[in-house]
């Protein structure tokens, strides 16, 4: 699942703070908070056939994360949307595009942890790339359980979509060493939380289950799948789930902007066997695809 450089991305235009710059010139200061402490928030957006999927939901989460971290200079939705649209238009991008949207606390007057040193305003970055889905959604992925736990709200709340990703990166390193595609992370009590980069669901006897969002991100795709299940009459339960329950599930899959709905076929060497006649995942995939145009904000160009 290692991503590769797409030659089309070599000459892209990137929005940084006040305008567009060629990829080679798109930089932030060494005094920027993202460099000094990972002090930034971000969202991953996907562009489908001339529309940005769930854009307002992503921007709402970005604003919530920035407010939680006490950013004092948070650009409005309108300002952020214009920067996104300008970036996509400059690159001629309308489909099969991933956007890494980042808002840093901005540049400091001198090195230090104190946010009062940030006196130049926040820094908005719009990085749009030509990029297909990152997972093999046909054959599925294999995962292992990491020894790195997901943060609880008592520590660094996982509901803040912040740019300090070492917790997740350490888990991903463990997956890489084990030859797995991703790492499953548990919470402080040993219950399943999420993967290092996506949320997780399981199906058993026709019922859909997902962990409480206590130690995991409130994923945009996760929330949409829960809504879709309710609309389709598929029983959906949020509860504490152990590894044992996932090992014995009929179907397991993960959800995220970068991969949509991805089957998980092996967990810690245990093959996931669908012993029921239900095909809940395939049904959810079809329903999700039907929602893409409904929930996409059309590009103005």
């Amino acid at each position: 699942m290692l991503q590769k450089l797409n030659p089309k991305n070599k000459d892209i235009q990137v929005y940084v703070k006040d305008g567009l710059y060629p990829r080679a010139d798109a930089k932030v200061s060494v005094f920027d908070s993202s460099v000094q402490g990972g002090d930034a928030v971000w969202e991953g957006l996907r562009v489908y056939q001339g529309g940005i999927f769930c854009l307002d939901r992503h921007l709402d989460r970005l604003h919530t994360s920035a407010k939680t971290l006490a950013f004092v200079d948070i650009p409005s939705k309108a300002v952020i949307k214009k920067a996104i649209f300008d970036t996509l238009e400059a690159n001629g991008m309308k489909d099969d595009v991933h956007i890494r949207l980042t808002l840093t606390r901005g540049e400091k007057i001198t090195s230090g942890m104190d946010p009062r040193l940030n006196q130049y305003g926040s820094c908005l970055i719009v990085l749009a790339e030509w990029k297909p889905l990152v997972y093999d959604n046909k054959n599925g992925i294999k995962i292992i359980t990491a020894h790195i736990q997901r943060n609880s709200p008592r520590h660094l709340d996982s509901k803040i979509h912040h740019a300090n990703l070492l917790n997740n990166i350490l888990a991903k390193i463990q997956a890489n060493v084990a030859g797995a595609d991703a790492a499953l992370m548990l919470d402080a009590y040993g219950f399943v939380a999420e993967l290092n980069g996506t949320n997780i669901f399981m199906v058993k006897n026709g019922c859909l289950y997902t962990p409480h969002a206590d130690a995991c991100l409130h994923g945009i795709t996760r929330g949409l799948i829960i809504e879709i299940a309710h609309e389709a009459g598929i029983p959906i339960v949020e509860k504490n789930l152990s590894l044992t329950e996932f090992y014995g599930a009929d179907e397991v899959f993960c959800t995220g902007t970068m991969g949509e709905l991805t089957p998980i076929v092996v967990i810690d060497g245990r093959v996931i066997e669908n012993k029921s006649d239900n095909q809940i995942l395939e049904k959810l995939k079809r329903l999700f695809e039907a929602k893409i145009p409904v929930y996409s904000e059309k590009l103005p160009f």
Side-chain angles (χ1 to χ4, degrees):
M1 300 302 166
L2 181 61
Q3 300 176 54
K4 298 178 181 179
L5 173 64
N6 185 335
K8 293 171 63 177
N9 292 324
K10 287 185 176 181
D11 299 316
I12 56 174
Q13 297 283 315
V14 183
Y15 187 97
V16 182
K17 191 172 176 64
D18 57 3
L20 289 161
Y21 298 87
R23 175 175 177 150
D25 299 325
K27 306 179 189 304
V28 295
S29 168
V30 294
F31 289 97
D32 191 89
S33 288
S34 60
V35 178
Q36 298 237 336
D39 189 2
V41 296
W42 68 281
E43 290 292 323
L45 306 171
R46 190 140 192 95
V47 181
Y48 297 92
Q49 299 178 349
I52 305 176
F53 189 54
C54 290
L55 178 56
D56 280 310
R57 296 190 188 200
H58 280 284
L59 295 186
D60 285 341
R61 189 171 66 180
L62 184 82
H63 274 176
T64 298
S65 295
K67 181 179 180 180
T68 301
L69 294 181
F71 281 26
V72 296
D73 182 25
I74 304 173
S76 68
K77 274 189 179 183
V79 168
I80 297 174
K81 286 184 179 182
K82 185 178 187 307
I84 294 172
F85 296 153
D86 287 349
T87 303
L88 293 174
E89 185 173 16
N91 290 302
M93 294 173 166
K94 291 188 175 184
D95 190 22
D96 204 24
V97 172
H98 176 78
I99 302 171
R100 177 72 173 230
L101 179 69
T102 303
L103 181 68
T104 84
R105 199 183 297 271
E107 187 178 342
K108 295 175 177 291
I109 57 172
T110 185
S111 297
M113 189 182 300
D114 193 337
R116 291 175 297 181
L117 300 175
N118 293 80
Q119 298 177 17
Y120 299 109
S122 60
C123 178
L124 180 67
I125 302 169
V126 184
L127 173 57
E129 297 178 274
W130 302 101
K131 185 176 292 190
L133 298 175
V134 298
Y135 286 138
D136 184 347
N137 288 351
K138 180 179 179 181
N139 298 309
I141 61 173
K142 299 177 181 180
I143 67 174
I144 54 99
T145 302
H147 71 275
I148 300 293
Q149 294 179 336
R150 203 66 178 93
N151 294 316
S152 78
R154 290 187 303 161
H155 301 94
L156 183 54
D157 194 346
S158 296
K159 297 174 192 63
I160 305 171
H161 209 199
H162 55 78
N164 191 326
L165 298 175
L166 288 178
N167 183 244
N168 308 69
I169 291 170
L170 285 169
K172 177 58 176 170
I173 290 170
Q174 189 175 345
N176 290 346
V177 172
D181 298 308
L184 182 61
M185 303 179 74
L186 309 181
D187 66 17
Y189 299 100
F191 294 111
V192 170
E194 62 180 348
L195 271 64
N196 60 275
T198 52
N199 294 118
I200 192 167
F201 288 80
M202 58 166 272
V203 178
K204 185 69 175 181
N205 298 327
C207 185
L208 184 64
Y209 296 89
T210 196
H212 287 299
D214 295 335
C216 74
L217 183 71
H218 278 282
I220 303 299
T221 308
R222 173 188 182 274
L224 188 56
I225 292 304
I226 292 173
E227 291 178 21
I228 289 172
H230 283 304
E231 292 173 2
I234 300 171
I236 168 71
V237 177
E238 294 182 72
K239 67 186 290 283
N240 288 329
L241 296 160
S242 70
L243 279 171
T244 300
E245 291 171 285
F246 274 89
Y247 293 154
D250 294 326
E251 295 181 291
V252 181
F253 62 96
C254 59
T255 62
T257 301
M258 285 285 286
E260 297 180 353
L261 281 67
T262 304
I264 295 173
V265 296
V266 177
I267 306 175
D268 298 330
R270 281 79 162 182
V271 176
I272 304 303
E273 301 176 273
N274 192 347
K275 296 181 180 179
S276 72
D277 293 327
N278 297 306
Q279 297 292 327
I280 301 298
L281 176 54
E282 285 304 314
K283 182 176 182 179
L284 289 171
K285 281 185 175 182
R286 293 193 300 271
L287 294 171
F288 175 81
E289 289 174 0
K291 290 287 187 182
I292 290 175
V294 177
Y295 285 92
S296 293
E297 181 162 337
K298 294 300 181 183
L299 299 176
F301 59 90

